PDB file of all heavy atoms in Angstrom:
ATOM      1  N   GLN A   8      19.131  55.474  38.266  1.00 68.00           N
ATOM      2  CA  GLN A   8      19.516  54.142  37.971  1.00 68.00           C
ATOM      3  C   GLN A   8      20.110  54.026  36.579  1.00 68.00           C
ATOM      4  O   GLN A   8      21.117  53.390  36.293  1.00 68.00           O
ATOM      5  CB  GLN A   8      18.333  53.109  37.939  1.00 68.00           C
ATOM      6  CG  GLN A   8      17.986  52.756  39.561  1.00 68.00           C
ATOM      7  CD  GLN A   8      16.670  52.070  39.481  1.00 68.00           C
ATOM      8  OE1 GLN A   8      15.912  52.019  38.566  1.00 68.00           O
ATOM      9  NE2 GLN A   8      16.497  51.296  40.672  1.00 68.00           N
ATOM     10  N   ARG A   9      19.545  54.814  35.628  1.00 69.00           N
ATOM     11  CA  ARG A   9      20.063  54.864  34.155  1.00 69.00           C
ATOM     12  C   ARG A   9      21.403  55.513  34.267  1.00 69.00           C
ATOM     13  O   ARG A   9      22.273  55.126  33.521  1.00 69.00           O
ATOM     14  CB  ARG A   9      18.955  55.650  33.384  1.00 69.00           C
ATOM     15  CG  ARG A   9      17.859  54.881  33.006  1.00 69.00           C
ATOM     16  CD  ARG A   9      16.897  55.637  32.015  1.00 69.00           C
ATOM     17  NE  ARG A   9      15.820  54.853  31.835  1.00 69.00           N
ATOM     18  CZ  ARG A   9      14.564  55.508  31.626  1.00 69.00           C
ATOM     19  NH1 ARG A   9      14.596  56.768  31.520  1.00 69.00           N
ATOM     20  NH2 ARG A   9      13.515  54.716  31.492  1.00 69.00           N
ATOM     21  N   ALA A  10      21.578  56.608  34.968  1.00 64.00           N
ATOM     22  CA  ALA A  10      22.838  57.196  35.054  1.00 64.00           C
ATOM     23  C   ALA A  10      23.876  56.319  35.676  1.00 64.00           C
ATOM     24  O   ALA A  10      25.102  56.216  35.248  1.00 64.00           O
ATOM     25  CB  ALA A  10      22.750  58.555  35.939  1.00 64.00           C
ATOM     26  N   GLU A  11      23.480  55.573  36.661  1.00 62.00           N
ATOM     27  CA  GLU A  11      24.549  54.618  37.290  1.00 62.00           C
ATOM     28  C   GLU A  11      24.923  53.601  36.320  1.00 62.00           C
ATOM     29  O   GLU A  11      26.040  53.153  36.184  1.00 62.00           O
ATOM     30  CB  GLU A  11      23.913  53.908  38.576  1.00 62.00           C
ATOM     31  CG  GLU A  11      24.745  53.000  39.239  1.00 62.00           C
ATOM     32  CD  GLU A  11      25.935  53.554  39.841  1.00 62.00           C
ATOM     33  OE1 GLU A  11      26.022  54.796  40.055  1.00 62.00           O
ATOM     34  OE2 GLU A  11      26.967  52.861  39.918  1.00 62.00           O
ATOM     35  N   GLU A  12      24.008  53.088  35.475  1.00 66.00           N
ATOM     36  CA  GLU A  12      24.206  52.045  34.450  1.00 66.00           C
ATOM     37  C   GLU A  12      25.238  52.601  33.381  1.00 66.00           C
ATOM     38  O   GLU A  12      26.116  51.865  32.923  1.00 66.00           O
ATOM     39  CB  GLU A  12      23.019  51.750  33.712  1.00 66.00           C
ATOM     40  CG  GLU A  12      22.006  50.757  34.560  1.00 66.00           C
ATOM     41  CD  GLU A  12      20.708  50.537  33.865  1.00 66.00           C
ATOM     42  OE1 GLU A  12      20.464  50.929  32.654  1.00 66.00           O
ATOM     43  OE2 GLU A  12      19.929  49.968  34.557  1.00 66.00           O
ATOM     44  N   LYS A  13      25.176  53.912  33.039  1.00 65.00           N
ATOM     45  CA  LYS A  13      26.048  54.407  31.979  1.00 65.00           C
ATOM     46  C   LYS A  13      27.361  54.920  32.681  1.00 65.00           C
ATOM     47  O   LYS A  13      28.270  54.909  31.905  1.00 65.00           O
ATOM     48  CB  LYS A  13      25.326  55.657  31.346  1.00 65.00           C
ATOM     49  CG  LYS A  13      24.218  55.188  30.503  1.00 65.00           C
ATOM     50  CD  LYS A  13      23.581  56.395  29.821  1.00 65.00           C
ATOM     51  CE  LYS A  13      22.411  55.866  28.940  1.00 65.00           C
ATOM     52  NZ  LYS A  13      21.785  56.939  28.216  1.00 65.00           N
ATOM     53  N   THR A  14      27.325  55.341  33.920  1.00 64.00           N
ATOM     54  CA  THR A  14      28.556  55.867  34.472  1.00 64.00           C
ATOM     55  C   THR A  14      29.144  55.069  35.676  1.00 64.00           C
ATOM     56  O   THR A  14      30.031  55.457  36.397  1.00 64.00           O
ATOM     57  CB  THR A  14      28.453  57.258  34.798  1.00 64.00           C
ATOM     58  OG1 THR A  14      27.348  57.340  35.833  1.00 64.00           O
ATOM     59  CG2 THR A  14      28.062  58.227  33.642  1.00 64.00           C
ATOM     60  N   GLY A  15      28.373  53.912  35.887  1.00 71.00           N
ATOM     61  CA  GLY A  15      28.695  53.096  37.183  1.00 71.00           C
ATOM     62  C   GLY A  15      30.164  52.579  37.194  1.00 71.00           C
ATOM     63  O   GLY A  15      30.917  52.835  36.322  1.00 71.00           O
ATOM     64  N   ALA A  16      30.238  51.786  38.138  1.00 80.00           N
ATOM     65  CA  ALA A  16      31.601  51.134  38.423  1.00 80.00           C
ATOM     66  C   ALA A  16      32.043  50.332  37.188  1.00 80.00           C
ATOM     67  O   ALA A  16      33.264  50.400  36.792  1.00 80.00           O
ATOM     68  CB  ALA A  16      31.547  50.240  39.603  1.00 80.00           C
ATOM     69  N   PHE A  17      31.128  49.596  36.491  1.00 82.00           N
ATOM     70  CA  PHE A  17      31.633  48.779  35.360  1.00 82.00           C
ATOM     71  C   PHE A  17      32.082  49.680  34.270  1.00 82.00           C
ATOM     72  O   PHE A  17      33.085  49.423  33.587  1.00 82.00           O
ATOM     73  CB  PHE A  17      30.448  47.902  34.944  1.00 82.00           C
ATOM     74  CG  PHE A  17      30.941  46.976  33.829  1.00 82.00           C
ATOM     75  CD1 PHE A  17      31.573  45.883  33.984  1.00 82.00           C
ATOM     76  CD2 PHE A  17      30.643  47.276  32.464  1.00 82.00           C
ATOM     77  CE1 PHE A  17      32.031  45.095  32.920  1.00 82.00           C
ATOM     78  CE2 PHE A  17      31.082  46.590  31.339  1.00 82.00           C
ATOM     79  CZ  PHE A  17      31.757  45.347  31.636  1.00 82.00           C
TER      80      PHE A  17
END
Side-chain angles (χ1 to χ4, degrees):
Q8 287 173 338
R9 286 186 189 147
E11 179 65 26
E12 288 173 5
K13 291 183 180 182
T14 62
F17 184 81

